[in-house]
Amino acid sequence: MLILTDRAKGGLATYDYLTRGRRCHVVALHQALAQPLKHPIIVCDVDIDNMTSVRLLRAALKLHRIDADIPVLFLTRDSSHLTATLAISLDATELVSCNDRPAAIHAAAERLIRAYQSRNKGAARPAHVTEAHASEATSALASCFDAAKRGEPVSIAELDRGANVVLGAIKQAKIRSWLDVVWQFDDVTYQHCLLVAGLCAAFSLKSGLTADHEHLLLQAAFLHDVGKARIPPDILNKPGALTKPEMDVMRTHPALGHAMLAGQRGISPVILDVARHHHEYLDGSGYPDRLQGRQISDYVRIVTICDIYAALIDRRPYKAPMPPPQALAVLMDLGDRLDRNLLKRFEAVVADCGRIL
């Protein structure tokens, strides 16, 4: 393994423990740009409150992480939200406290190494999402939408099935393969919901969310547009720009979705929040409740970013898909309306989308 550090090796029990039984390079951060060293994991023991160290570490990771799947384990020196955010912006795979027992840090490192080696064992070709994955997700989505439209409870089993299929497909084959398969389906609303769910899954994997948060995010993304089940089809599927009266109708879908799901057993408050508020902006210019700032949850902020991005790269008969870098630039241009820290993390998802033809 490769350990990048801004403090000396001597006397640090963690380094001694990590080097047992495995070839290991401990490299001082200021010397880390000498030559690339490929290892199955990079461990970062760096004070990321120091901006000079952050710049050096970013350059070092760019040099040594020659395979984007190589895990990066951060040994954090405090438990602040800022430290976690900085580490994630540096593409951390996992965060552990440098004050944890050396055995626990070693176990985390070995687990990440095994996962990396398992993914790459005999990997001559990348995995791909199949039509079966997308068909199963579409089936679950249709079941949920149809039940909500009829005024019946959404099946939690179907919701879980859909969320699990999307997350499993993204873990297996990454977001680009998911986009290519989902774009083959005709229904505009289902296609969009599956794109947003896939992007949220990719975001969650890049951000290292816990399994519970990951599942809640996927459930919410899956049903974020459920209110569109009550929008007239001639407006919903119109092949062109909507008139103002049509747009006014379309803008009722968040409140409709919330009303359709409210009071149902098993529907999390997170799902209700996202269904109603995924068109809210941090500056208060969104709808339907003109929320702003801290009134908008992280779940909503993530889904909003993925929702806008999916709409920009969507393929439609009347418009070409926007290339990922240009779509990201549009998101950036929205300024204070979106969460800048989350948007920074989303850049890694955009990079995986590749070139859209």
Side-chain angles (χ1 to χ4, degrees):
M1 67 179 66
L2 173 63
I3 301 176
L4 301 174
T5 183
D6 58 0
R7 54 184 172 184
K9 178 185 177 184
L12 290 178
T14 297
Y15 293 0
D16 293 336
Y17 209 104
L18 287 174
T19 57
R20 293 179 182 179
R22 187 177 290 280
R23 187 170 63 88
C24 182
H25 282 90
V26 180
V27 179
L29 189 59
H30 67 279
Q31 298 175 333
L33 300 181
Q35 65 181 59
L37 299 168
K38 183 172 182 180
H39 292 274
I41 191 170
I42 299 174
V43 178
C44 301
D45 184 17
V46 174
D47 179 9
I48 56 176
D49 283 340
N50 182 316
M51 286 300 103
T52 299
S53 295
V54 169
R55 286 194 294 272
L56 287 172
L57 183 56
R58 195 182 301 277
L61 288 171
K62 185 176 181 180
L63 175 68
H64 296 292
R65 200 180 185 205
I66 56 183
D67 176 350
D69 284 337
I70 293 173
V72 178
L73 178 65
F74 266 76
L75 307 186
T76 59
R77 298 182 186 178
D78 63 62
S79 58
S80 71
H81 176 71
L82 177 60
T83 293
T85 300
L86 278 171
I88 289 169
S89 75
L90 290 162
D91 227 7
T93 306
E94 190 166 319
L95 283 63
V96 296
S97 171
C98 66
N99 297 317
D100 281 358
R101 292 180 300 109
I105 297 174
H106 180 264
E110 289 296 320
R111 173 170 47 77
L112 291 173
I113 290 170
R114 287 195 300 272
Y116 169 70
Q117 291 176 333
S118 175
R119 286 195 304 271
N120 288 272
K121 186 177 181 181
R125 60 181 185 217
H128 291 286
V129 173
T130 66
E131 287 191 18
H133 289 120
S135 293
E136 185 175 0
T138 302
S139 170
L141 186 64
S143 174
C144 293
F145 269 56
D146 289 347
K149 186 175 182 178
R150 293 192 302 266
E152 299 172 0
V154 168
S155 166
I156 302 304
E158 286 294 280
L159 180 57
D160 285 340
R161 178 168 72 101
N164 290 335
V165 168
V166 176
L167 186 59
I170 301 301
K171 282 182 176 178
Q172 172 184 313
K174 299 191 182 296
I175 185 62
R176 180 50 203 257
S177 184
W178 179 255
L179 298 179
D180 287 338
V181 172
V182 169
W183 273 323
Q184 297 175 26
F185 288 78
D186 293 330
D187 188 284
V188 171
T189 301
Y190 292 172
Q191 184 189 97
H192 177 74
C193 287
L194 294 177
L195 290 179
V196 173
L199 290 165
C200 285
F203 181 94
S204 73
L205 295 173
K206 293 288 185 183
S207 300
L209 300 187
T210 66
D212 287 345
H213 289 155
E214 197 170 61
H215 191 67
L216 267 177
L217 176 62
L218 264 292
Q219 286 184 320
F222 209 65
L223 289 183
H224 80 283
D225 265 348
V226 70
K228 288 182 177 178
R230 294 267 177 88
I231 299 297
D234 58 330
I235 293 178
L236 192 63
N237 300 317
K238 183 177 178 178
L242 299 179
T243 64
K244 185 181 184 306
E246 290 170 337
M247 182 58 74
D248 290 341
V249 173
M250 181 66 85
R251 286 191 168 203
T252 64
H253 80 268
L256 285 172
H258 181 271
M260 292 159 75
L261 298 173
Q264 292 190 23
R265 288 188 63 184
I267 296 295
S268 160
V270 169
I271 298 173
L272 294 173
D273 183 26
V274 169
R276 184 174 181 91
H277 296 132
H278 62 277
H279 285 290
E280 301 284 0
Y281 286 138
L282 297 180
D283 66 351
S285 64
Y287 65 92
D289 298 320
R290 299 188 70 83
L291 301 184
Q292 54 184 303
R294 294 179 181 272
Q295 294 176 307
I296 302 175
S297 71
D298 284 347
Y299 289 103
V300 170
R301 296 177 189 211
I302 294 168
V303 173
T304 298
I305 288 171
C306 294
D307 185 43
I308 297 170
Y309 181 79
L312 293 172
I313 66 169
D314 270 352
R315 292 172 169 168
R316 294 286 179 266
Y318 54 88
K319 80 169 188 74
M322 189 177 288
Q326 186 179 342
L328 179 62
V330 171
L331 293 176
M332 293 292 189
D333 286 345
L334 289 174
D336 293 338
R337 284 180 278 184
L338 299 178
D339 187 307
R340 305 296 291 185
N341 289 328
L342 294 177
L343 194 52
K344 184 68 178 174
R345 293 188 222 171
F346 189 68
E347 289 182 18
V349 178
V350 174
D352 282 348
C353 288
R355 180 169 174 260
I356 294 175
L357 300 176

